Amino acid sequence: MNHLTNEQTLKSLGWNEYFADHFAPYAEQGYSVGRISLEHKRIYRLMSEHGELLGEVTGKLRYEATGREDYPAVGDWVVINPRVEEKKASIHALLPRKSKFSRKAAGDTVEEQIVAANVDIVFLVNALNNDFNIRRMERYLILAWESGASPVIVLSKADLCDDLDARLAEVESVAIGVPVHVVSAEHGEGLEQLAPYLGEGKTIALMGSSGVGKSTLINKLSGSEMQRVSEVREGDDRGRHTTTHRELIRLPEGGLMIDTPGMRELQLWEADEGFRGAFDDIESIAEACRFNDCQHEREPGCAVREAIEDGTLEKARFDSYLKLQRELAHLARKEDARLKAAEKDKWKKINVEMRQRKPKR
Ligand code: GDP
Ligand code: ZN
């Protein structure tokens, strides 16, 4: 990598003005940057202008962290102090995330766990065979809008579909303004449509249920067999996956792909902007309801119920909207309790620190 200037190296890793701006104060103090390519029990593998390094967070970062989301995740840009000879680095801080995918951390607590950061484009993969599920697509769209990454719908296994037009019409009814591409990864068909998303410095990720063909697609796009394709048994959508050693992978086209196991198990987490983006059609119908806070139940002058009756709005889509709204409300209540506890904890720490700092007289 020596023939490249530092700037070029960073650009090829996804560096841009946004990160450069936030890094400026650290640069003045002589720090370097790196991008996390793997997390392993709080040891991080990162790519940098000094090559690949193993990083550990400093005590200060640990001390100031109020939750898991304050620790580095795959795709994060981090402020480092490299020890090039040892191929190690200490991680001082995270640069703000341009986008993030998160889920509930395992266990009873409602803690946010970042599964991928700084994704520019997310391919929402749905198979065109019997697994095809438009309601699931809706959920993925919410997650995508919420993340800050731009969604692109990839309909896979085109070779197993004989009513493509009907499927496309269905997809277009929920994915307003989102690009849709039809591919058959197994046969390498339609993949050239995805090339424009994979250029230099672009970070992409794939989302979709197990068995829809994500690994096959990743293999084709990355031009290698680093992702072993799992065998999926008939009627069983739980494929097995072999883990790769790097979860941030460079693509031959110059882009980068984030492929973390967490991306595969994403469930709905806090979503507000995302929810509104995904249900734009319903939200805009609801603007015509007589009451601002219309619940679309029995209120007079409800435009949503009218739309269902006259067939403009599909009942199933409205039901899905209500169901997701309830799930989100439930999560929001739990998250609120956690945030309050974290805030209390933070102030406790600050108080202790202040008391220790008090000058002795
Ligand atoms: P993942 O779980 O989403 O990573 O899915 P995989 O890539 O492991 O694929 C699941 C199964 O679908 C494998 O048996 C693949 O060979 C098969 N598959 C993937 N892409 C296609 C395709 O375009 N057409 C057909 N017919 N099968 C495919
Ligand atoms: Zn209404």
Side-chain angles (χ1 to χ4, degrees):
M1 230 184 269
N2 286 337
H3 61 286
L4 293 177
T5 68
N6 295 348
E7 188 69 19
Q8 273 175 316
T9 308
L10 291 180
K11 265 192 184 157
S12 72
L13 294 174
W15 188 249
N16 60 33
E17 260 173 45
Y18 174 86
F19 300 115
D21 283 350
H22 286 98
F23 179 62
Y26 295 103
E28 279 169 22
Q29 298 172 53
Y31 285 109
S32 291
V33 280
R35 194 165 187 205
I36 306 287
S37 64
L38 185 73
E39 179 196 344
H40 182 67
K41 297 198 171 111
R42 299 280 154 101
I43 303 273
Y44 303 88
R45 199 170 278 281
L46 49 93
M47 310 203 271
S48 77
E49 56 199 344
H50 310 287
E52 201 167 70
L53 304 169
L54 277 184
E56 269 186 281
V57 301
T58 59
K60 184 168 181 286
L61 192 154
R62 198 183 303 276
Y63 183 77
E64 285 172 357
T66 58
R68 289 183 70 157
E69 69 272 23
D70 295 334
Y71 284 89
V74 173
D76 262 328
W77 280 102
V78 291
V79 176
I80 59 170
N81 216 338
R83 301 192 297 281
V84 181
E85 253 98 281
E86 295 173 66
K87 293 211 162 298
K88 288 188 177 155
S90 42
I91 301 173
H92 289 260
L94 307 187
L95 292 181
R97 296 170 174 133
K98 265 192 92 176
S99 70
K100 63 174 185 183
F101 285 92
S102 54
R103 63 171 179 184
K104 284 186 294 175
D108 293 335
T109 62
V110 186
E111 214 186 346
E112 182 180 16
Q113 184 182 356
I114 312 292
V115 299
N118 300 320
V119 173
D120 297 309
I121 290 151
V122 59
F123 290 161
L124 307 180
V125 189
N126 212 326
L128 284 162
N129 60 352
N130 307 330
D131 285 342
F132 183 82
N133 184 331
I134 201 75
R135 301 279 86 95
R136 204 184 290 141
M137 180 64 78
E138 252 164 10
R139 283 171 172 255
Y140 284 132
L141 274 167
I142 294 177
L143 286 168
W145 287 126
E146 189 60 25
S147 74
S150 308
V152 168
I153 292 180
V154 176
L155 301 175
S156 63
K157 304 195 187 183
D159 53 301
L160 299 180
C161 179
D162 35 42
D163 54 351
L164 188 58
D165 287 344
R167 294 293 198 221
L168 278 174
E170 260 185 280
V171 171
E172 270 151 23
S173 74
V174 304
I176 304 126
V178 177
V180 179
H181 300 289
V182 176
V183 306
S184 172
E186 191 105 306
H187 303 88
E189 280 159 26
L191 298 179
E192 70 288 345
Q193 302 165 69
L194 304 181
Y197 302 109
L198 314 174
E200 163 101 276
K202 294 254 188 63
T203 303
I204 63 148
L206 272 72
M207 214 156 79
S209 313
S210 189
V212 297
K214 295 184 300 300
S215 314
T216 309
L217 196 58
I218 291 172
N219 283 343
K220 296 282 177 179
L221 298 179
S222 65
S224 78
E225 288 293 314
M226 60 175 83
Q227 185 78 26
R228 213 159 302 144
V229 175
S230 57
E231 293 294 324
V232 175
R233 274 163 294 156
E234 201 75 63
D236 178 1
D237 64 353
R238 264 192 269 170
R240 280 168 296 118
H241 289 281
T242 48
T243 46
T244 53
H245 283 292
R246 306 286 180 280
E247 294 175 349
L248 183 65
I249 304 159
R250 283 171 193 263
L251 300 174
E253 279 88 351
L256 300 119
M257 164 135 46
I258 291 190
D259 180 34
T260 71
M263 281 300 285
R264 302 214 177 94
E265 305 152 23
L266 269 183
Q267 11 171 347
L268 208 54
W269 167 248
E270 67 165 319
D272 189 18
E273 284 303 305
F275 187 72
R276 262 181 256 133
F279 286 101
D280 226 12
D281 52 342
I282 298 185
E283 299 277 331
S284 57
I285 294 173
E287 276 169 21
C289 290
R290 188 176 306 160
F291 300 106
N292 268 340
D293 58 349
C294 184
Q295 301 296 302
H296 323 306
E297 281 164 6
R298 276 171 207 84
E299 294 91 340
C302 173
V304 172
R305 277 208 333 279
E306 237 167 70
I308 293 170
E309 268 154 42
D310 70 20
T312 345
L313 175 62
E314 218 186 311
K315 176 80 164 57
R317 178 154 170 85
F318 181 63
D319 288 343
S320 155
Y321 170 85
L322 289 181
K323 183 155 174 276
L324 290 171
Q325 209 171 36
R326 275 195 300 274
E327 274 175 43
L328 287 171
H330 179 65
L331 279 170
R333 280 195 300 276
K334 288 217 273 187
E335 167 67 358
D336 192 44
R338 188 194 74 84
L339 280 180
K340 276 187 190 140
E343 187 69 4
K344 217 168 117 189
D345 195 43
K346 190 164 138 193
W347 283 105
K348 218 159 84 192
K349 275 183 182 173
I350 291 172
N351 272 332
V352 170
E353 208 177 347
M354 303 256 278
R355 238 173 281 139
Q356 284 165 347
R357 275 192 199 157
K358 222 178 246 170
K360 292 192 184 87
R361 285 168 210 246

